Amino acid sequence: MPSTKKGKPQGGTFEQENVLQAVVVADRFDEKFQPLSDDIPLALFPLANKPLLDYTLDFLSSNGVQQIYVYCCHCSGLIKDYIANSKWGAKSSQCRVTPIVSSDFTSLGDVLRDIDQKSLFETDFLLVAGDLISNMSLQQALTEHRDRRTKDKNKPLMTLILRSCPPTHEMRSADDDIVVALDSHTQQVLYYQKIGLTRKPKFEFPLKTLLQNTCSNFEFRYDLSDEGVAVCSPQVPQLFTDNFDYQTKEDFIKGILINEEFLGNQIHIHTIKRDFAARISTLHMYDTISKAVTSRWIYPYVPDNDFESGENSVSGKNKKDITLASSPKLYHHLRRNVYIGSIKSLGKDSSIEDNCVIGHDTIIGNNCRIRNSVIGNGCVIGDDVSIKDSYLWSGVTVKDKCTIDKSILSNNSIIHENTKIPSGCVLATKVEIGPNITLKEDTVIHIEIDDETFAEGENMQKKDINPSLVGERGRGILWSRVEDIDSDMEDEDVGMELNREGIWGMSLTERDKMFPTYSDAESSEDDDISTDGSDMEDYENEENSITLFFKEVKDSLSRGIEESIKCDNLILEINSSKYAYNVTIQDVIRNVTKATFEISYLRCNGAPFFPALKKVLLYMSPVFMNYNKTSQSQMECINEIEQYCLCNKHAYDCLIKILMLLYENDILAEEVILSWHKNPSTVQTSEVSDVTPNQLRKSVTKFIDWLQEAEEESSSEDDSS
């Protein structure tokens, strides 16, 4: 493959040694927030009437970040335009924000591989999720990471910034639940597993990790939450390029931990306790974080602090103060955390109570009650309307005598007269409901959007609209993750039940209620170590995985030799199989070695074995060099060769030639061969073997003597010089 010229996007001209840089991944690469995200990217979801992306960028800027690359795929044009027209696109901005757009990005792995392709970073950088809200300081985490890199530049790859959070805390999402095992002294990660919404009361922990770990400060942590912030070394993007099976951060962490013993790479954590950090990973978290903003838990990120322009509002104490706003961008902070923008009118006998944000240019009619809600800019609220625990985005119209409870209404949706929107409902952009209709809980209504133009789909005809669902003047159809769902009421109930879990997500408390296996009372017996034979079953599964892995490796190498495939591509195939079957790097080395010898035997067709092996080994030498980088890995290789020779006379007879070939081509080091010969054999002797390990070692004595003599001559020459 021809080499591609690497280069930085325009705008990346800082001297990296003096500049802190970051990557914001503004795409989730999933369908979690559909249908709301069909025409509005998550990064531009309004949070207290400010785009989510502004919170993330301002957090980084306040921590001294001067260059931010925003990677976006879905609705990328909207994000690019927003950045260009905001303070982040101004020439006077101290923090330079560069959007990087591509429709080819389908995962975090694609983003990191693009970073490597463009060679964006030569020093450490921050990797940040685009749905993050935080006011934490990053200085200590950066200092710890740099100190580790100063002591050993190659080993520390990443420092995860995790938040200490009790398992039942409302700011902890069940979707992102994790378990971490650490060396509490060095904060090195030994094990990392994302549990999520699993319904199992237990998680699997590899006993091998516990037995191989020698630290005395081993501990499990279930009180940590990963909020999508990590300090990365420049090697991280390179490793994503080398391993195309790395698609998520969890894939990367898992791969590094599996190979840590041989490659020496390490991942550490930094824990924050008092500062705020959370991700809008579900609509449940959107609701929870919105309330945290209005309750002033995330200062300075509060509605009356206009961090978009750096201006602050004045505080008011009664309704009369509402008319004093001198700028359409500012909010008045009233009692009980009520924030009022430059609204057009507030009707007689209407009340705004507790943790509310009312956007600019909004009209509120008579005798309305709004509580624990956010009303967007340019909304029109009729008379006798009740809104509780809900979010109305920009341009929403709610006509007379309507009730809305714990729901989300997207841009320009319309609620006609005497309509009730109960808990859990989501209305996408331009949906109309009513009049005189009551939706069921957890109903999700949308208008079909063309994937390319984001215009209303031509295929949504009037006949597709169910008046019994959306009303006579309604506009929209039922949305569900269930495909080919019928319009009868029973199927609608099924779709709504799935919508609740799929769209809104769950808190840990809700999960525990739904899946009682999480309770201590019901799972206490399961916490004991199992002695019912499950360990044997796990062992059999592991053996089966290794067998399948060997078959795939052998097939890949055979095809590579027949078709003259480049060894770099073969390495990618082997790495992909390694991850798919969850095998260790030791298993890779052993199986690559065994496959090479078996393929060579099949190719010799009755002719002498060594010439065929030599041809294959020379072709495969880049593969061996890739995996045999340490003395430990080389010892695994020579032990596997010993195992093969003990059972195969055609290899045993030419073992000296084999060792010489591997030695001359730098696949096996001199000290490894001498150490192997000197120490007792660790391989298991097969019943079909005609020779013992001791006999095998004696058969290569002449070669060992030659190595030792060469080493002595080299030492004497060094002494004389």
Side-chain angles (χ1 to χ4, degrees):
M1 182 180 297
S3 60
T4 303
K5 184 178 180 179
K6 297 185 178 182
K8 300 179 183 179
Q10 291 183 355
T13 58
F14 287 118
E15 292 294 331
Q16 291 201 3
E17 291 78 3
N18 302 320
V19 172
L20 181 58
Q21 298 177 292
V23 170
V24 173
V25 184
D27 210 309
R28 284 184 55 88
F29 307 109
D30 62 22
E31 301 176 350
K32 174 71 74 174
F33 288 95
Q34 284 186 333
L36 288 175
S37 61
D38 282 345
D39 60 334
I40 307 172
L42 176 61
L44 297 184
F45 275 23
L47 185 68
N49 290 340
K50 292 183 176 69
L52 174 56
L53 183 61
D54 263 325
Y55 292 84
T56 306
L57 296 180
D58 197 82
F59 153 69
L60 292 172
S61 178
S62 66
N63 275 281
V65 178
Q66 294 176 266
Q67 172 73 65
I68 303 174
Y69 297 99
V70 179
Y71 272 82
C72 43
C73 178
H74 177 61
C75 296
S76 55
L78 296 178
I79 298 176
K80 187 176 180 180
D81 290 344
Y82 177 78
I83 292 173
N85 296 319
S86 69
K87 74 170 187 177
W88 308 107
K91 293 182 179 180
S92 59
S93 176
Q94 295 182 352
C95 179
R96 184 172 299 175
V97 178
T98 305
I100 298 180
V101 175
S102 174
S103 59
D104 296 331
F105 300 145
T106 61
S107 68
L108 176 66
D110 291 340
V111 170
L112 269 298
R113 283 183 276 274
D114 187 75
I115 291 172
D116 183 49
Q117 177 70 21
K118 290 181 169 67
S119 298
L120 291 185
F121 305 113
E122 299 173 1
T123 59
D124 299 332
F125 65 96
L126 291 165
L127 180 64
V128 180
D131 52 9
L132 170 73
I133 309 295
S134 179
N135 60 0
M136 65 178 165
S137 171
L138 298 174
Q139 291 305 310
Q140 186 176 351
L142 290 167
T143 300
E144 291 174 359
H145 181 82
R146 289 164 177 166
D147 288 345
R148 295 188 191 102
R149 296 262 297 156
T150 300
K151 295 176 183 177
D152 191 331
K153 186 176 182 180
N154 296 318
K155 284 188 176 182
L157 288 179
M158 178 183 287
T159 298
L160 302 171
I161 301 178
L162 308 182
R163 177 169 58 97
S164 178
C165 187
T168 57
H169 197 281
E170 63 180 352
M171 286 294 170
R172 185 162 172 172
S173 171
D175 297 59
D176 300 317
D177 212 13
I178 63 171
V179 172
V180 182
L182 302 168
D183 179 341
S184 60
H185 179 67
T186 64
Q187 297 299 293
Q188 181 182 344
V189 177
L190 305 173
Y191 177 78
Y192 181 104
Q193 180 173 333
K194 184 175 181 179
I195 298 176
L197 284 173
T198 176
R199 306 185 182 191
K200 297 179 181 180
K202 299 188 294 184
F203 66 91
E204 298 178 358
F205 178 77
L207 186 61
K208 184 184 298 184
T209 299
L210 185 61
L211 295 176
Q212 290 179 348
N213 183 65
T214 58
C215 76
S216 59
N217 301 293
F218 188 89
E219 65 176 4
F220 283 103
R221 297 288 297 271
Y222 184 54
D223 63 333
L224 299 175
S225 179
D226 191 340
E227 306 304 347
V229 185
V231 188
C232 301
S233 71
Q235 290 93 328
V236 170
Q238 299 170 14
L239 288 169
F240 272 87
T241 298
D242 293 341
N243 298 271
F244 270 85
D245 49 329
Y246 291 172
Q247 298 299 329
T248 65
K249 186 172 69 176
E250 288 74 26
D251 293 342
F252 174 78
I253 295 173
K254 185 176 181 180
I256 295 302
L257 295 183
I258 289 175
N259 298 329
E260 188 271 332
E261 181 182 356
F262 281 83
L263 302 181
N265 299 137
Q266 297 174 351
I267 296 174
H268 296 81
I269 72 163
H270 170 78
T271 305
I272 62 170
K273 297 181 179 179
R274 296 185 178 181
D275 294 335
F276 185 94
R279 294 180 63 186
I280 298 182
S281 55
T282 63
L283 289 185
H284 163 74
M285 290 302 296
Y286 175 83
D287 174 50
T288 304
I289 294 172
S290 292
K291 287 180 170 56
V293 172
T294 57
S295 300
R296 309 182 75 82
W297 292 352
I298 322 178
Y299 192 86
Y301 302 116
V302 292
D304 55 310
N305 183 6
D306 187 20
F307 49 87
E308 290 179 275
S309 60
E311 300 179 14
N312 289 357
S313 75
V314 294
S315 295
K317 299 302 180 184
N318 53 55
K319 285 186 183 179
K320 294 181 180 180
D321 293 327
I322 294 173
T323 61
L324 298 178
S326 59
S327 168
K329 288 183 175 295
L330 301 182
Y331 283 86
H332 287 274
H333 179 207
L334 308 182
R335 291 188 180 95
R336 304 177 75 172
N337 291 328
V338 172
Y339 306 87
I340 306 293
S342 297
I343 65 176
K344 288 187 175 180
S345 65
L346 177 62
K348 183 180 178 181
D349 296 327
S350 291
S351 63
I352 302 173
E353 309 169 4
D354 301 331
N355 300 309
C356 285
V357 180
I358 309 299
H360 309 301
D361 302 320
T362 288
I363 299 173
I364 300 176
N366 299 321
N367 198 32
C368 294
R369 186 185 182 191
I370 303 175
R371 184 178 183 183
N372 289 322
S373 298
V374 178
I375 309 299
N377 299 325
C379 292
V380 178
I381 311 297
D383 298 335
D384 302 304
V385 172
S386 174
I387 302 175
K388 179 183 176 183
D389 296 318
S390 296
Y391 302 90
L392 279 61
W393 294 1
S394 297
V396 173
T397 298
V398 181
K399 298 187 178 181
D400 299 346
K401 298 181 180 180
C402 292
T403 301
I404 303 172
D405 181 26
K406 198 174 183 181
S407 296
I408 296 179
L409 282 62
S410 186
N411 297 339
N412 302 313
S413 54
I414 300 175
I415 311 300
H416 292 284
E417 295 85 349
N418 197 30
T419 296
K420 294 183 179 179
I421 310 294
S423 176
C425 291
V426 175
L427 306 185
T429 300
K430 295 184 179 181
V431 164
E432 296 186 38
I433 303 293
N436 306 313
I437 201 78
T438 299
L439 295 181
K440 289 195 170 187
E441 289 188 358
D442 305 323
T443 300
V444 180
I445 306 293
H446 76 124
I447 291 176
E448 291 186 342
I449 301 294
D450 186 271
D451 291 338
E452 295 183 0
T453 65
F454 299 106
E456 296 172 22
E458 297 178 357
N459 58 337
M460 198 191 80
Q461 305 296 329
K462 188 70 177 178
K463 63 180 181 180
D464 297 322
I465 299 174
N466 182 0
S468 65
L469 175 66
V470 298
E472 291 298 329
R473 281 185 277 166
R475 188 165 176 265
I477 56 177
L478 181 69
W479 182 90
S480 176
R481 296 185 190 279
V482 181
E483 296 181 357
D484 300 325
I485 194 167
D486 295 328
S487 59
D488 61 272
M489 197 62 68
E490 180 180 356
D491 282 339
E492 288 180 4
D493 290 341
V494 172
M496 293 169 192
E497 181 180 350
L498 291 174
N499 288 340
R500 178 66 191 179
E501 179 178 335
I503 296 177
W504 283 90
M506 288 188 291
S507 66
L508 293 175
T509 303
E510 289 173 324
R511 182 189 65 183
D512 293 347
K513 290 179 180 178
M514 183 171 288
F515 310 133
T517 52
Y518 274 90
S519 65
D520 293 336
E522 296 192 20
S523 63
S524 58
E525 294 181 2
D526 294 334
D527 291 340
D528 297 332
I529 297 177
S530 174
T531 57
D532 59 359
S534 60
D535 290 343
M536 181 59 69
E537 182 180 350
D538 292 341
Y539 175 78
E540 292 174 352
N541 290 336
E542 182 179 352
E543 288 293 303
N544 186 50
S545 295
I546 293 175
T547 300
L548 294 174
F549 172 72
F550 171 73
K551 183 178 182 301
E552 283 206 8
V553 168
K554 187 175 179 180
D555 290 344
S556 295
L557 297 183
S558 297
R559 181 170 48 83
I561 295 170
E562 292 292 338
E563 300 176 8
S564 299
I565 297 175
K566 290 184 178 181
C567 286
D568 288 345
N569 295 333
L570 293 178
I571 291 169
L572 291 176
E573 287 190 27
I574 295 170
N575 288 343
S576 179
S577 299
K578 171 177 73 71
Y579 181 77
Y581 292 104
N582 194 25
V583 298
T584 66
I585 190 67
Q586 301 100 306
D587 295 324
V588 173
I589 295 165
R590 287 193 294 265
N591 284 278
V592 167
T593 304
K594 180 180 178 182
T596 301
F597 275 68
E598 290 194 2
I599 292 169
S600 301
Y601 181 69
L602 293 174
R603 292 175 64 85
C604 68
N605 293 322
F609 173 69
F610 181 73
L613 176 65
K614 180 178 180 180
K615 186 176 181 180
V616 173
L617 273 175
L618 291 177
Y619 179 80
M620 297 289 299
S621 61
V623 177
F624 279 88
M625 295 289 288
N626 180 74
Y627 295 114
N628 287 5
K629 294 178 180 179
T630 67
S631 57
Q632 289 176 303
S633 59
Q634 292 181 28
M635 189 61 71
E636 290 287 345
C637 177
I638 197 170
N639 283 335
E640 186 61 34
I641 293 173
E642 178 184 4
Q643 182 78 63
Y644 185 86
C645 291
L646 287 173
C647 302
N648 296 276
K649 190 174 185 301
H650 56 268
Y652 172 81
D653 291 341
C654 58
L655 180 56
I656 289 182
K657 295 180 179 180
I658 295 171
L659 294 178
M660 176 65 79
L661 177 66
L662 296 174
Y663 169 73
E664 289 179 340
N665 287 276
D666 296 324
I667 296 174
L668 293 180
E670 175 184 327
E671 57 270 18
V672 173
I673 299 174
L674 294 176
S675 176
W676 164 78
H677 186 267
K678 179 180 178 181
N679 295 308
S681 175
T682 59
V683 303
Q684 297 180 353
T685 306
S686 173
E687 294 180 359
V688 300
S689 176
D690 294 329
V691 295
T692 66
N694 288 336
Q695 290 174 321
L696 183 141
R697 278 166 166 71
K698 289 181 180 178
S699 69
V700 296
T701 300
K702 291 183 178 180
F703 175 67
I704 298 299
D705 291 342
W706 176 81
L707 278 181
Q708 291 174 336
E709 291 174 1
E711 182 182 21
E712 291 174 359
E713 290 178 1
S714 177
S715 299
S716 61
E717 290 178 0
D718 292 340
D719 293 339
S720 62
S721 61

